[in-house]
Amino acid sequence: MKKIIMLALLIAAGSAFNSASAQSKKKDKKGKQKTVCEMVRIVPQTRLDTPSDTLSYAAGMAITRGLNDYLANQFGVKEAQMPDFLRGLHQGIENRKDSAFAAYVAGLIISSQVEKSMLPNIVGKFEGTSSPINTELLYRGFKDAMAKDTTFLKVDEASRIFEKKQMELKAQKEAETKAKNEAYLEENKKKEGVVVLPDGLQYRIITKGNGPIPKETDRVQVIYEGKTIDGKVFDATSRHGVEFDTFNVGGLIEGWTEALQMMPVGSKWEIVIPQNLAYKEKGAGRDIAPFSTLIFTLELKGIEAAAEKEAKVMDAAKLVPAKKVPANKGKKTVKK
């Protein structure tokens, strides 16, 4: 893979080194246009006279395996653009020992990383706010910082402005999320059949079971689906390729632990867990924002016998949607 990446760097550098695409064609003495493929064949005629020659040539061909797919997926190079690729490849190989060219390559790669990775993230954060990102000015600031041009701002000052705005935006979004989720809880508790407990947990019985009720030390078999108040499903037994999931009752988020200790086996409930009984201000991954109310459809299938519990080795990373951890570390959701 390192060899492929190095080739990709050479490609990126060479294809930009000749800025005008018109240079990809020239005329020979008879006035005919020469193709790019013909132009790059400027080395002496190749001969494979020794086993070492053959091995070297074969190695060069072999390390291109998978490169076409890599070019298409990572750089968007189409088959029709292969002449431009070959031109860039030639330039990169010819200048591979030139330190100035290496610096040029670095500039190309960094600009590509900003465009593909950093820019979309920054633009997305401020999209729809009172201060959307102007892409051209962002690049101007980026270039000026690297050139040590402080005409408008110093880097430290710019960092403070940017970080302050990010913090303001984060606080604003969290406040909006918290308010929206609290409003949902207020509306949901008015629905028929919804029971509200003193700590804020809400549940509605879909199917009433008549089996035993698990204790905090038990291990249970459940089928569940979890979603946020906008209806987005973030985890479900149906995604795990199993008939049911098994959990330690005491090893889950507070809302689950509390609800399971009230459910007889055979029950199916909808439980609505306020953020203070779920992931609080930390959230969990991409799908569960800070201060999120969580909605679960939870069906209790059974309680494992003591011998069965001891025989099973739990893969916490795959089976537990939420583990209890010290309060100062927050909790994380785990999905298949």
Side-chain angles (χ1 to χ4, degrees), residues 11 36-37 40 81-92:
I11 294 160
V36 173
C37 291
V40 298
Q81 296 170 317
M82 287 305 290
D84 294 313
F85 159 75
L86 289 171
R87 177 163 52 87
L89 180 64
H90 172 70
Q91 287 285 340

Side-chain angles (χ1 to χ4, degrees), residues 34-310:
K34 297 173 70 176
T35 67
V36 173
C37 291
E38 290 171 334
M39 289 170 59
V40 298
R41 292 175 184 169
I42 61 175
V43 296
Q45 184 176 4
T46 302
R47 294 174 60 91
L48 305 179
D49 295 328
T50 68
S52 178
D53 293 342
T54 301
L55 175 62
S56 300
Y57 184 81
M61 298 196 80
I63 63 175
T64 67
R65 293 186 64 179
L67 183 56
N68 284 335
D69 289 340
Y70 182 81
L71 290 173
N73 295 332
Q74 297 295 320
F75 295 93
V77 176
K78 300 177 181 177
E79 187 64 30
Q81 296 170 317
M82 287 305 290
D84 294 313
F85 159 75
L86 289 171
R87 177 163 52 87
L89 180 64
H90 172 70
Q91 287 285 340
I93 292 172
E94 287 296 304
N95 293 278
R96 67 187 183 277
K97 295 182 180 180
D98 184 342
S99 60
F101 187 78
Y104 180 77
V105 170
L108 290 174
I109 298 307
I110 293 299
S111 67
S112 178
Q113 290 177 346
V114 172
E115 179 69 22
K116 293 181 179 180
S117 301
M118 301 174 71
L119 185 64
N121 181 46
I122 294 173
V123 170
K125 281 184 177 179
F126 293 92
E127 190 173 9
T129 71
S130 59
S131 302
I133 295 296
N134 180 313
T135 303
E136 295 304 316
L137 285 175
L138 181 145
Y139 275 122
R140 174 64 188 274
F142 191 95
K143 290 187 293 182
D144 284 354
M146 296 307 297
K148 295 181 172 47
D149 183 341
T150 57
T151 301
F152 297 107
L153 295 170
K154 293 181 179 179
V155 173
D156 288 346
E157 183 183 0
S159 295
R160 286 194 296 271
I161 292 172
F162 182 59
E163 289 168 6
K164 180 182 177 182
K165 194 64 179 179
Q166 283 192 109
M167 293 299 292
E168 290 175 355
L169 180 62
K170 180 175 181 292
Q172 179 185 335
K173 285 186 175 181
E174 289 183 353
E176 291 172 354
T177 298
K178 190 173 183 180
K180 186 188 295 184
N181 281 267
E182 288 175 350
Y184 179 89
L185 288 167
E186 286 298 313
E187 287 301 314
N188 190 71
K189 71 181 183 182
K190 299 174 185 177
K191 294 180 180 178
E192 184 178 355
V194 173
V195 178
V196 183
L197 300 179
D199 61 4
L201 181 69
Q202 301 180 7
Y203 70 88
R204 177 175 63 86
I205 298 175
I206 300 172
T207 302
K208 188 174 182 179
N210 55 12
I213 297 174
K215 301 182 295 295
E216 186 172 357
T217 54
D218 285 332
R219 185 172 172 83
V220 294
Q221 300 168 343
V222 300
I223 296 174
Y224 73 96
E225 179 183 82
K227 59 186 179 181
T228 48
I229 64 171
D230 59 1
K232 183 177 181 180
V233 176
F234 57 82
D235 198 10
T237 299
S238 60
R239 296 181 178 181
H240 302 166
V242 294
E243 181 182 353
F244 52 77
D245 286 302
T246 55
F247 302 127
N248 290 325
V249 174
L252 305 166
I253 56 175
E254 295 170 58
W256 265 59
T257 297
E258 182 178 2
L260 283 169
Q261 293 181 84
M262 297 187 295
M263 295 176 67
V265 170
S267 296
K268 183 176 182 180
W269 289 11
E270 179 185 74
I271 57 175
V272 180
I273 305 178
Q275 56 87 16
N276 61 296
L277 300 177
Y279 298 103
K280 303 174 178 149
E281 73 282 356
K282 297 292 185 181
R286 296 180 180 179
D287 297 325
I288 301 176
F291 303 108
S292 287
T293 294
L294 303 182
I295 306 162
F296 287 95
T297 301
L298 178 60
E299 185 176 357
L300 179 58
K301 303 297 290 184
I303 303 172
E304 290 187 354
E308 189 177 359
K309 286 191 285 184
E310 293 175 3

